[in-house]
Amino acid sequence: MKRSFIREILEHTNNNTISFAGGLPNAKLFPIEQLKKSAQVVLDDTSSLQYGNSTGYEKLKEKIAKLYSDDGFFTTSSNILITSGSQQALDIISRFNSNKNITIETLSYLGAMNVFNLNNMDINTINLQDDGCDIKQFKQSISKTKLAYIIPDFQNPTGISYSDKKREQIASIIKDTNSLVIEDSPYSEIYFEKKFESISQKIPKNSYHLGSFSKVLAPSLRIGWIRADEKLLEPLIAYKEAMDLHTNGLSQFILNNYLEDINEFENHKNKIRKIYSKKMQIFCNFLDEVLPQFEYIKPKGGMFVYGRLEGINTKELVNKCLKDDVLFVPGVEFYINNIKEDEIRFNFTNSTPAQIFKGLNIIKSLIKE
Ligand SMILES: Cc1ncc(COP(=O)(O)O)c(C=O)c1O
């Protein structure tokens, strides 16, 4: 078991660091004033500081359910289990499935792979293509594992999104093989063109849909959730109780109050989409200008640009960059096997245009050394 490289290198950052490494939302966009108001209001009510229900604060569950139903995916509060970030959702489902087999994309989210390993799950990897996973491999693998973990919207780390066709194919394979899918979607609301329909919506009885307020609002709230059929959710509640009884009540109350004004939340999401889309465009323009040899696919949402610097060992490169206060994540960190040494994940949400230009030029000069 290795620690998350990303969390480790984040410990080496200082005020001068230009970081393209973490998946951090831009702190300037946190709706501080609104959250302050919400905190003030909920702290007038002692129940915000009391123990709460294991599955989450009912009013908040209702609001999350409504977000789904408004999108055409019928959901009630009994389909929602609120978790301490979607990271805990992954842990809960994995503990319930410990020692079983699981199909995952390669590359995949490091935090999920660590959870699967810690729960002794036997991981079977399938290739990721430009429009989603390799369907033939998916079919073969899921027929054996019966459980899959995928990130179809603006994937971490690759930024790839599943095409509508592949979403249909995945759903029908899951149904035909009577399997289950964990659809992890923390980035689904950060779309630059269109919102994708979830795979879970096509197979509500065979899916765990994972959501989070970390990327669109504030990660320190630590509020995520699992949306699933009641029968699937029921056995998970004992695991949630064993882990922490319930998710932080004060955070849930503050978030619930913030969401009372749904227009405010919608405007906030629109603002994030617009600003991140612009940042992505600026990042890609500078990439083309400063590092034209970097091959990548432009993301349609999310927070990452992923690509390849042919022939360059990017782990060695980042260790040099670290001394000049520039950070990124080498692609090797996201592989279980089939290691490729010349890939990089860049985060584009957190830097100014001047920092992007400076950071990429430092990388360029260190490649030449
Ligand atoms: C794909 C994916 N899933 C889950 C998480 C965990 O997010 P959180 O626990 O903050 O909701 C992350 C965070 O970066 C992620 O990228």
Side-chain angles (χ1 to χ4, degrees):
M1 263 301 302
K2 58 182 175 186
R3 260 194 77 197
S4 160
F5 175 79
I6 304 162
R7 301 215 74 85
E8 273 185 59
I9 54 172
L10 286 179
E11 286 166 14
H12 294 279
T13 58
N14 58 55
N15 286 345
N16 297 324
T17 307
I18 299 176
S19 178
F20 306 135
L24 307 187
N26 193 313
K28 291 198 182 88
L29 298 175
F30 293 151
I32 293 276
E33 290 310 316
Q34 288 82 356
L35 290 173
K36 255 194 223 169
K37 267 189 220 151
S38 294
Q40 198 94 49
V41 172
V42 301
L43 278 167
D44 280 339
D45 175 357
T46 53
S47 47
S48 67
L49 296 175
Q50 193 52 279
Y51 280 120
N53 290 339
S54 313
T55 57
Y57 180 30
E58 183 60 27
K59 285 186 179 170
L60 179 59
K61 290 199 295 174
E62 283 168 8
K63 289 192 178 61
I64 295 171
K66 188 168 182 310
L67 290 174
Y68 279 99
S69 296
D70 288 350
D71 262 356
F73 187 3
F74 179 71
T75 300
T76 69
S77 62
S78 58
N79 299 119
I80 305 292
L81 170 61
I82 295 191
T83 55
S84 300
S86 48
Q87 186 65 34
Q88 191 188 47
L90 288 166
D91 200 12
I92 292 173
I93 299 169
S94 304
R95 287 188 196 205
F96 177 60
N97 285 288
S98 60
N99 302 312
K100 297 208 180 124
N101 300 320
I102 189 160
T103 300
I104 70 165
E105 301 149 335
T106 184
L107 320 47
S108 187
Y109 167 53
L110 190 58
M113 295 191 288
N114 279 345
V115 164
F116 301 147
N117 276 324
L118 282 168
N119 287 298
N120 284 323
M121 298 182 80
D122 203 346
I123 297 175
N124 193 33
T125 57
I126 52 164
N127 290 338
L128 199 53
Q129 300 164 330
D130 294 356
D131 60 347
C133 69
D134 181 315
I135 293 293
K136 210 169 142 197
Q137 288 182 9
F138 181 81
K139 195 170 178 178
Q140 273 170 354
S141 180
I142 194 85
S143 308
K144 294 186 199 116
T145 64
K146 300 287 179 189
L147 178 66
Y149 168 71
I150 54 175
I151 313 163
D153 304 326
F154 326 118
Q155 201 233 27
N156 177 8
T158 62
I160 282 172
S161 297
Y162 281 49
S163 63
D164 294 338
K165 186 176 169 203
K166 284 205 170 165
R167 285 167 196 263
E168 289 291 346
Q169 289 171 317
I170 297 278
S172 63
I173 294 167
I174 295 278
K175 213 168 173 183
D176 293 348
T177 53
N178 199 17
S179 308
L180 292 171
V181 66
I182 306 165
E183 182 177 16
D184 190 9
S185 293
Y187 305 97
S188 59
E189 288 290 318
I190 311 178
Y191 53 87
F192 304 151
E193 294 167 19
K194 64 162 187 172
K195 181 165 179 177
F196 286 102
E197 191 182 299
S198 71
I199 293 171
S200 299
Q201 184 167 348
K202 305 174 200 300
I203 42 168
K205 289 195 184 323
N206 295 67
S207 56
Y208 302 99
H209 189 262
L210 273 42
S212 174
F213 287 99
S214 288
K215 309 296 176 179
V216 286
L217 212 56
S220 81
L221 290 170
R222 304 310 300 132
I223 296 188
W225 67 89
I226 304 173
R227 187 255 171 249
D229 187 78
E230 278 178 68
K231 282 202 187 96
L232 289 179
L233 224 42
E234 178 58 34
L236 303 182
I237 299 170
Y239 289 82
K240 170 66 183 166
E241 283 176 356
M243 289 159 101
D244 61 0
L245 301 182
H246 63 75
T247 296
N248 183 315
L250 186 55
S251 276
Q252 292 190 71
F253 269 65
I254 292 172
L255 179 58
N256 177 66
N257 183 278
Y258 171 83
L259 294 174
E260 293 279 339
D261 185 353
I262 201 67
N263 288 335
E264 161 62 35
F265 184 47
E266 289 305 326
N267 290 340
H268 175 72
K269 285 190 288 189
N270 279 331
K271 185 169 148 191
I272 281 184
R273 286 172 199 134
K274 226 162 121 184
I275 293 176
Y276 285 180
S277 168
K278 209 166 150 201
K279 278 187 181 288
M280 182 276 291
Q281 197 52 59
I282 291 170
F283 202 97
C284 291
N285 289 347
F286 280 141
L287 268 175
D288 295 343
E289 187 186 321
V290 182
L291 293 174
Q293 70 274 45
F294 187 71
E295 299 161 29
Y296 65 95
I297 300 167
K298 214 176 195 177
K300 297 191 176 103
M303 297 186 162
F304 307 109
V305 180
Y306 193 89
R308 176 166 183 243
L309 272 174
E310 199 184 345
I312 305 289
N313 183 319
T314 57
K315 194 138 189 183
E316 285 172 16
L317 182 63
V318 78
N319 282 322
K320 285 194 223 165
C321 289
L322 203 58
K323 294 188 188 102
D324 280 350
D325 284 329
V326 178
L327 291 180
F328 58 81
V329 185
V332 284
E333 295 302 316
F334 306 106
Y335 286 98
I336 280 189
N337 45 30
N338 187 26
I339 285 181
K340 303 216 173 109
E341 290 185 333
D342 56 4
E343 297 178 350
I344 290 181
R345 187 195 75 177
F346 287 117
N347 163 266
F348 56 77
T349 56
N350 237 324
S351 316
T352 62
Q355 287 171 323
I356 298 169
F357 187 69
K358 187 173 169 198
L360 292 180
N361 271 293
I362 289 174
I363 295 172
K364 180 183 174 178
S365 64
L366 292 171
I367 291 172
K368 281 193 188 147
E369 264 181 18

